[in-house]
Amino acid sequence: MNSVPDEMKTQEQSHRLPTWVVGLAFAGLVAFLVLVGLGLRRAQSGPITVGQKVPGFSVTTFDGETINTADLAGKVIVVNFWASWCKPCEQEAFELESAYQYYKPGGEVFFLGVDYVDTEPEALGFINKFGLTYANGPDLRTKVSQMFRIQGVPETYIIDREGKLAYVKKGPFLSTAEILNVIDQVLQ
Amino acid sequence: MNTAMKKHILLPLIALFIGLLWTGISYFSVQAQSPTPSDNEVNAVAKNLYCPVCENISLDVCPTTACAQWRALIREKLAAGWSEDQIKDYFVAQYGDRVLSTPPTRGLNWLVYILPPLIFLGGVYLVYRVLRSMKKNKPAQITPPPGESDQTDPYFSQLEAELEQHRKRGE
Amino acid sequence: MVSNFGFGALVITLVVSVYGIFAAVYGARKNSLAWVESARKAMLLTFPLISLVALSIIYLLVTGDYQVQYVYNVTSSTMPLYLKVTALWGGQAGSLIFWSWLLASFASAVTLRKWDRDREFLPWVIVVSLVTLVFFVGMSIFFENPFVRFWQTAGGSQAVAMFQPTGATSLVPFDGRGLNPLLRHPGMVIHPPMLYLGFVAFVIPFAFAIAALITGRTDDRWIRVTRRWSLVAWLFLSLGLVLGSRWAYDVLGWGGYWAWDPVEIAAFMPWLSGTAFLHSVMIQEKRGLFKRWNMILIVLTYSLVIFGTFLTRSGVLSSVHAFSQSAIGPLFFGYIGITFAVSLALLLHRWNALRSEGEMHSLLSREALFLLNNLLFMGILVVCFWGVLFPLISELFTGQKVTVGPPFYERSTGPLFAGLLLLMGVAPLSAWGHSTVKTLGKAMWKPFVVSLAIPVIAFVLGVRSLPALLAFWLCAFVAFITLYEYYRGVAARIRRSEENVFTALWNLASRNRRRYGGYIIHIGVVLMALGIIGIELFQTETQGTIPPGGQMNLGNYTITFDKLDIFDTADGRNVARAVVSVERDGKYLGQLYPRRDYYYDSQQPMTIPGVRSTMEDDLYVLLVDWEPISSTGVTFKVYHNPLVNWLWVGGFVFIFGTLVAAWPDKDPESVRVRAAKRKMAASGVQSAD
């Protein structure tokens, strides 16, 4: 099976590959694999999963008010990603607003609309059309959406009192009852 | 090498700057006459922007509603007298670096521009070394190999064809 | 019933393949012919088995068994029969089976050849092919099973499972969701299989290379055996890329043919390293040089095939082409890690045995120029690889997404492509072993002088851009040199054997099909370059909104908006179709029908251009937007793409050339002459070819 002639072998000793070259080749391979592996892990699951602590972030609303999640400790935060060009977002806009009205007196739940890749005039038009009164602001530099690694709009993330992610909804809510049901569970 | 690189970058940068200045000036002069910019003016700006909603398709041809809104926004800004650069900066501030067709040259992004030329130069050096070492092993032949001198002789081709045929059979 | 049958066949394939691997390894270790023969039978058996699996899926697709999730996802009752059949590769699960099926057929075909003179390769070729097959079949069984079905559980909820859960009843949806509208195009029907064929065929040369590394038989035997396979792989990969570009041009509606999208690049990278391999292999055959480099190139090509497939299917990259998010990522990643590491270890292990046998004598010899060609191909590969990988790196380290778009690739690969074009002209004139400036100059000056006329003519005709003039000169230079080479060969034959021109041409090409096929490929590349120069450097565009009867101008062209029809079709589309008349310099040329199709079931719009195509230029009209007829009118975007048709013509020529080069020989190989030749080469005597 070994077809390398013997006389050639002795000759080859002088041409042996230095160890550092072998090491370097494998180090390169490992570095590449680590990089792709990390990328894969990032693609497969967001950095935040249900039960994990959500890092603080801030959103400046269309009214100019800056909302920092760190200041909202002890409250349940409902983060809703939407956009004016998104048809399904229109389906749940009324429902979100009525859920907001339902919890407003209690003061335990904070609603935050994050406007994803949108233009301001259109976004304001959307807010007026559906009469949204809870805090809404643009996702500047798409920072917040990248942090949650959203895949599209609408998506809703609910953060519990301890600041941990409690619930994720991809796609629109179908009814107000559905929203209330989910939030009530988180509140308990 | 660093200074050479700098020179290489500096020249296009100056050219780019002058170009931008010029387009800026021409935009302003156009603005004076036409209050609503034409589709072509909008597309000229949109061509170099990428909307996150449609991956890898430039803004001027992306058919989604979000991109149509972006183009409307560009039109608005152009009408307000903004230059292409100002509009780009605005989009970057709003939606992040990924709206630009190439990464902006700062921080880690330098890697994207530096690494390929470096690796390529490494390759050039490697090829140079291989060629050198191979020449050193054996002093260059002074007498050309047989058949070399009559390269352009028409019969050479004939001979060559015969040889090829011979070799082909041989395989 | 059929699903269970198909799944059963799939599981048996896996078992047979795993057995084949062990039998082959055991047979090779014990030097037992019987075990190797058994492994070979196992390899041959996988083909009919996978064929049964594929046929089961096709049967389910055609009969519309929507209980099967895959059938539900990719077909609907309104789809024509041919789309139902080809929906086999319309989704992740089916296309994996298709991949396995192609692999089994190629690997079986290769085990059927005569193995008299390279018996020691056989077990290892089987091992490499079967390991790849086991991986793909395993993915199908454990992660992307095309046979899973919908069930209604006893509790009333829905479940997706291979086998009937206890107490559950089958749940059969009324109709399927239908194939992604972007994929409902004849070009799309054949584009993926071509790419897969190219990808899969590269497994064969890789298997032989690994066999050579394992057995230590590191002469050029493995290269000679797989030469045709590499060419066939390359042929299909090229065909896939050209068809893909054509599909993008016809259907995607952005006026171009190549977007430097990560997934396009993923298919382009193995093509680049494969092209470099096809060239550098010739150096080893003729001169015994660069054995290590050839090994590296084929390992790289296989790795890029696997890596490209991984990028497209695992959801690591976001792209228009990417398959939906999938669970196969980690498994795929593991496979990549193992195969890359094993290949690298084998390569380094045999590093000494892979020393060059010959030596290089001249910087202008053909082998030196081929080495430069390889350098440039690798340069382009590095740019592509880095451009694809960088957004991943940026996101990991800074959390910021970036786009690496066409300007990056165009600027950095443009000069490299130009260099390749130049080499393509010069290299065929240089001789193996030795060339001097004098011999090269002598062979080159006539075509060179003639080619200078082309940029002059272009300048007189009004072309002022320096890159364009340079590019036109390059194309002319290469084309004239290649044609001149043909002319010299034909003239010599006519003089010598008094043949007529066509017989002479035929005989010349059939005597050395690899060389003259290669020249045809070069001509094809020049024509394609012409098309690319046309669209990249001279494309103009305009957009405007015009009322019915209104007109728009672009260059010499005028388009008139005649009418707009909006209607529903039987296959679930809402079509808005505009009729525009095209005039050039006031002369009526005909009508175009740009349209926008809206697919109700998938809620996706598709912009289909109206194109008037001539050898001189294309007029490419897009329907961008429209208002109800009463108000302002319709928005059109019009592109003028000069010379772009030469891209497709060049593509045809290119494929034809590859066919000429790869067509099987009639004469069987003769050991005696070959051995004699090798002895001659070893003793340092140079032949004049």
Side-chain angles (χ1 to χ4, degrees):
Chain A
M1 218 175 71
N2 197 347
S3 66
V4 183
D6 280 340
E7 67 268 32
M8 265 176 85
K9 267 186 184 162
T10 47
Q11 208 183 334
E12 279 157 19
Q13 299 299 326
S14 57
H15 291 275
R16 180 126 289 170
L17 211 57
T19 326
W20 67 268
V21 174
V22 177
L24 203 69
F26 275 99
L29 181 66
V30 167
F32 166 75
L33 289 176
V34 165
L35 207 65
V36 173
L38 285 174
L40 180 67
R41 207 185 65 179
R42 199 182 161 88
Q44 293 247 315
S45 62
I48 312 163
T49 48
V50 170
Q52 251 185 328
K53 188 111 179 123
V54 179
F57 62 92
S58 66
V59 170
T60 305
T61 66
F62 290 115
D63 307 330
E65 187 193 347
T66 301
I67 290 156
N68 207 323
T69 53
D71 307 337
L72 297 168
K75 283 187 185 180
V76 167
I77 310 172
V78 179
V79 184
N80 173 252
F81 290 95
W82 62 277
S84 65
W85 42 263
C86 144
K87 287 275 168 227
C89 298
E90 296 181 359
Q91 287 173 27
E92 62 169 9
F94 274 127
E95 284 72 14
L96 278 167
E97 174 63 20
S98 40
Y100 169 65
Q101 293 299 342
Y102 176 84
Y103 291 108
K104 201 178 174 183
E108 286 182 304
V109 183
F110 190 86
F111 278 70
L112 177 60
V114 180
D115 184 20
Y116 173 72
V117 183
D118 209 347
T119 56
E120 194 165 333
E122 302 280 343
L124 292 175
F126 185 94
I127 291 171
N128 284 334
K129 184 176 168 194
F130 294 97
L132 306 182
T133 54
Y134 57 89
N136 266 296
D139 180 17
L140 288 184
R141 298 183 69 92
T142 59
K143 267 190 176 147
V144 184
S145 52
Q146 280 189 59
M147 192 178 94
F148 284 96
R149 293 196 59 76
I150 69 166
Q151 288 162 345
V153 273
E155 280 184 18
T156 307
Y157 295 80
I158 301 182
I159 304 167
D160 68 12
R161 290 199 173 97
E162 282 92 54
K164 288 177 186 157
L165 188 63
Y167 178 81
V168 178
K169 171 86 180 176
K170 308 212 161 180
F173 286 107
L174 297 176
S175 64
T176 312
E178 189 189 351
I179 307 176
L180 298 185
N181 184 23
V182 170
I183 297 177
D184 281 340
Q185 279 176 19
V186 177
L187 277 172
Q188 278 156 21
Chain B
M1 207 217 71
N2 217 347
T3 51
M5 187 87 85
K6 263 185 194 149
K7 235 181 238 165
H8 270 288
I9 290 159
L10 210 62
L11 269 177
L13 269 184
I14 292 171
L16 190 74
F17 180 71
I18 294 171
L20 286 173
L21 208 66
W22 175 251
T23 44
I25 292 167
S26 48
Y27 265 123
F28 279 115
S29 53
V30 167
Q31 241 55 82
Q33 297 122 18
S34 63
T36 47
S38 73
D39 288 349
N40 286 335
E41 283 163 333
V42 173
N43 282 339
V45 179
K47 212 178 175 63
N48 298 313
L49 290 172
Y50 283 74
C51 144
V53 178
C54 31
E55 303 271 356
N56 304 311
I57 300 179
S58 67
L59 181 57
D60 62 328
V61 280
C62 181
T64 62
T65 331
C67 292
Q69 288 180 15
W70 278 34
R71 288 193 291 269
L73 190 66
I74 293 177
R75 192 185 304 270
E76 234 171 75
K77 299 291 179 196
L78 281 176
W82 289 32
S83 73
E84 182 172 347
D85 260 13
Q86 283 174 305
I87 295 175
K88 275 189 182 170
D89 288 345
Y90 169 80
F91 273 96
V92 169
Q94 287 276 313
Y95 310 108
D97 288 342
R98 62 161 138 171
V99 301
L100 298 175
S101 59
T102 49
T105 48
R106 61 179 142 73
L108 185 76
N109 291 344
W110 274 107
L111 269 182
V112 81
Y113 300 102
I114 285 176
L115 209 73
L118 273 186
I119 294 178
F120 185 70
L121 285 179
V124 170
Y125 175 70
L126 215 68
V127 167
Y128 170 77
R129 278 233 349 225
V130 167
L131 292 178
R132 272 297 293 262
S133 70
M134 286 188 162
K135 275 197 86 170
K136 236 185 262 167
N137 275 349
K138 197 173 185 178
Q141 267 174 304
I142 294 156
T143 46
E148 189 66 41
S149 53
D150 44 16
Q151 168 88 326
T152 47
D153 189 317
Y155 285 103
F156 169 73
S157 308
Q158 175 63 35
L159 180 78
E160 202 176 31
E162 301 275 342
L163 256 165
E164 298 281 8
Q165 184 189 359
H166 177 74
R167 208 196 65 245
K168 184 119 274 175
R169 288 241 182 85
E171 279 165 21
Chain C
M1 184 54 222
V2 178
S3 335
N4 285 336
F5 173 76
F7 187 68
L10 195 60
V11 174
I12 296 173
T13 313
L14 185 75
V15 174
V16 169
S17 310
V18 171
Y19 164 75
I21 295 172
F22 283 110
V25 172
Y26 187 77
R29 300 301 295 275
K30 298 280 168 200
N31 237 336
S32 150
L33 271 183
W35 278 100
V36 174
E37 196 50 34
S38 174
R40 170 164 151 160
K41 296 246 165 66
M43 178 80 251
L44 286 173
L45 190 59
T46 57
F47 175 63
L49 279 171
I50 292 267
S51 302
L52 285 179
V53 178
L55 284 174
S56 309
I57 300 177
I58 292 176
Y59 176 82
L60 293 169
L61 288 167
V62 170
T63 53
D65 188 347
Y66 299 118
Q67 195 202 347
V68 177
Q69 191 187 27
Y70 184 71
V71 178
Y72 169 79
N73 281 340
V74 297
T75 57
S76 63
S77 51
T78 53
M79 272 164 54
L81 182 68
Y82 83 99
L83 279 180
K84 281 185 180 169
V85 175
T86 54
L88 174 62
W89 52 83
Q92 176 94 277
S95 68
L96 281 176
I97 294 291
F98 187 60
W99 227 101
S100 307
W101 185 62
L102 293 176
L103 179 60
S105 63
F106 278 27
S108 300
V110 89
T111 45
L112 281 175
R113 68 183 283 275
K114 270 197 215 142
W115 288 85
D116 310 334
R117 277 175 292 123
D118 26 44
R119 193 90 215 167
E120 69 267 42
F121 285 166
L122 176 61
W124 300 111
V125 168
I126 292 176
V127 168
V128 175
S129 312
L130 281 182
V131 165
T132 315
L133 188 64
V134 162
F135 167 64
F136 276 93
V137 169
M139 263 194 318
S140 292
I141 292 176
F142 297 111
F143 292 100
E144 288 289 342
N145 186 345
F147 296 110
V148 289
R149 280 163 287 182
F150 294 115
W151 303 97
Q152 182 94 46
T153 59
S157 64
Q158 254 186 46
V160 179
M162 181 61 228
F163 298 107
Q164 190 165 14
T166 42
T169 51
S170 33
L171 179 70
V172 184
F174 179 66
D175 198 355
R177 284 203 305 203
L179 194 65
N180 182 341
L182 285 177
L183 306 181
R184 297 182 196 182
H185 179 266
M188 212 47 211
V189 168
I190 36 179
H191 156 68
M194 290 301 136
L195 274 186
Y196 294 165
L197 276 170
F199 283 175
V200 171
F202 267 122
V203 174
I204 305 299
F206 171 74
F208 273 88
I210 292 295
L213 285 177
I214 292 177
T215 58
R217 184 175 173 183
T218 51
D219 61 353
D220 56 3
R221 183 69 201 159
W222 72 273
I223 283 179
R224 288 183 189 275
V225 172
T226 59
R227 192 166 84 191
R228 284 239 149 65
W229 283 103
S230 318
L231 263 178
V232 166
W234 192 70
L235 167 72
F236 284 121
L237 206 51
S238 314
L239 207 55
L241 288 169
V242 171
L243 284 171
S245 315
R246 181 72 213 205
W247 167 73
Y249 190 74
D250 280 351
V251 171
L252 290 185
W254 37 261
Y257 58 97
W258 184 258
W260 293 103
D261 177 280
V263 172
E264 290 172 357
I265 297 174
F268 189 46
M269 286 194 293
W271 186 88
L272 286 170
S273 63
T275 314
F277 176 69
L278 285 181
H279 285 97
S280 83
V281 151
M282 285 188 249
I283 314 178
Q284 183 172 343
E285 283 178 35
K286 302 262 156 106
R287 306 272 301 122
L289 296 165
F290 305 131
K291 289 178 163 188
R292 291 168 183 162
W293 181 232
N294 286 328
M295 277 289 172
I296 293 175
L297 276 180
I298 193 64
V299 167
L300 187 67
T301 306
Y302 176 82
S303 306
L304 287 171
V305 163
I306 297 290
F307 185 60
T309 316
F310 166 76
L311 284 183
T312 343
R313 289 164 185 272
S314 64
V316 174
L317 290 179
S318 37
S319 151
V320 268
H321 296 68
F323 285 82
S324 52
Q325 208 85 350
S326 159
I328 64 177
L331 185 72
F332 219 129
F333 178 68
Y335 180 72
I336 285 184
I338 292 167
T339 50
F340 286 19
V342 169
S343 312
L344 185 62
L346 275 172
L347 193 64
L348 295 176
H349 175 63
R350 293 286 177 200
W351 194 253
N352 295 323
L354 290 169
R355 276 174 316 118
S356 294
E357 280 165 13
E359 272 146 4
M360 199 174 297
H361 303 307
S362 151
L363 289 178
L364 288 172
S365 63
R366 197 180 294 182
E367 54 267 34
L369 294 179
F370 271 31
L371 193 61
L372 282 184
N373 143 309
N374 271 229
L375 176 68
L376 293 178
F377 271 115
M378 287 302 109
I380 297 171
L381 182 64
V382 165
V383 169
C384 290
F385 187 77
W386 190 235
V388 167
L389 214 59
F390 185 75
L392 211 75
I393 295 171
S394 167
E395 214 185 328
L396 275 176
F397 289 103
T398 64
Q400 206 25 254
K401 273 193 177 169
V402 292
T403 308
V404 179
F408 169 76
Y409 295 106
E410 281 162 9
R411 257 180 275 153
S412 33
T413 60
L416 297 175
F417 276 118
L420 276 176
L421 216 53
L422 184 66
L423 273 181
M424 209 169 85
V426 179
L429 295 180
S430 67
W432 293 107
H434 192 82
S435 282
T436 61
V437 176
K438 217 176 116 195
T439 57
L440 264 184
K442 232 175 171 180
M444 204 185 291
W445 73 270
K446 280 185 206 159
F448 175 76
V449 170
V450 179
S451 71
L452 285 179
I454 298 298
V456 172
I457 293 172
F459 188 82
V460 170
L461 288 176
V463 177
R464 288 294 180 272
S465 119
L466 191 64
L469 289 173
L470 195 67
F472 279 135
W473 170 74
L474 263 175
C475 286
F477 180 58
V478 178
F480 287 145
I481 282 185
T482 315
L483 292 175
Y484 186 60
E485 275 290 282
Y486 264 105
Y487 164 78
R488 284 204 310 169
V490 169
R493 284 202 74 86
I494 291 176
R495 219 183 340 263
R496 177 71 178 267
S497 354
E498 283 160 8
E499 293 165 329
N500 71 40
V501 180
F502 296 105
T503 336
L505 193 62
W506 176 263
N507 285 334
L508 184 72
S510 54
R511 286 287 143 74
N512 190 350
R513 283 208 319 272
R514 195 185 190 190
R515 176 163 176 182
Y516 287 97
Y519 287 169
I520 299 176
I521 297 175
H522 286 182
I523 294 273
V525 171
V526 169
L527 295 179
M528 289 171 89
L530 208 60
I532 293 169
I533 295 165
I535 193 168
E536 292 294 335
L537 296 175
F538 296 103
Q539 185 181 55
T540 49
E541 57 176 85
T542 185
Q543 184 178 325
T545 306
I546 46 178
Q551 290 190 327
M552 266 170 80
N553 294 309
L554 179 65
N556 303 334
Y557 287 96
T558 306
I559 65 160
T560 312
F561 169 40
D562 296 337
K563 63 175 180 156
L564 178 75
D565 300 315
I566 298 175
F567 52 89
D568 282 339
T569 61
D571 54 356
R573 284 177 299 161
N574 179 270
V575 177
R577 178 171 166 275
V579 181
V580 295
S581 308
V582 180
E583 286 170 40
R584 183 177 179 173
D585 298 324
K587 193 170 149 262
Y588 176 78
L589 294 176
Q591 286 184 324
L592 293 179
Y593 313 100
R595 55 176 224 261
R596 173 80 64 94
D597 290 8
Y598 182 80
Y599 285 81
Y600 287 112
D601 44 6
S602 60
Q603 302 195 339
Q604 248 181 314
M606 235 176 113
T607 312
I608 296 165
V611 185
R612 182 181 182 275
S613 195
T614 65
M615 292 322 291
E616 189 189 341
D617 55 7
D618 276 17
L619 192 73
Y620 187 102
V621 184
L622 289 172
L623 175 63
V624 177
D625 201 5
W626 61 91
E627 301 283 328
I629 305 295
S630 54
S631 66
T632 44
V634 174
T635 308
F636 291 106
K637 183 159 195 177
V638 187
Y639 290 92
H640 180 238
N641 299 331
L643 299 176
V644 70
N645 237 325
W646 290 98
L647 179 55
W648 317 121
V649 174
F652 272 114
V653 174
F654 184 98
I655 300 301
F656 173 71
T658 318
L659 278 175
V660 169
W663 206 259
D665 277 319
K666 268 191 222 130
D667 342 1
E669 293 184 8
S670 136
V671 198
R672 214 158 19 88
V673 183
R674 206 173 50 85
K677 221 230 150 200
R678 197 191 288 158
K679 211 190 269 168
M680 201 168 80
S683 63
V685 179
Q686 275 146 15
S687 52
D689 60 342

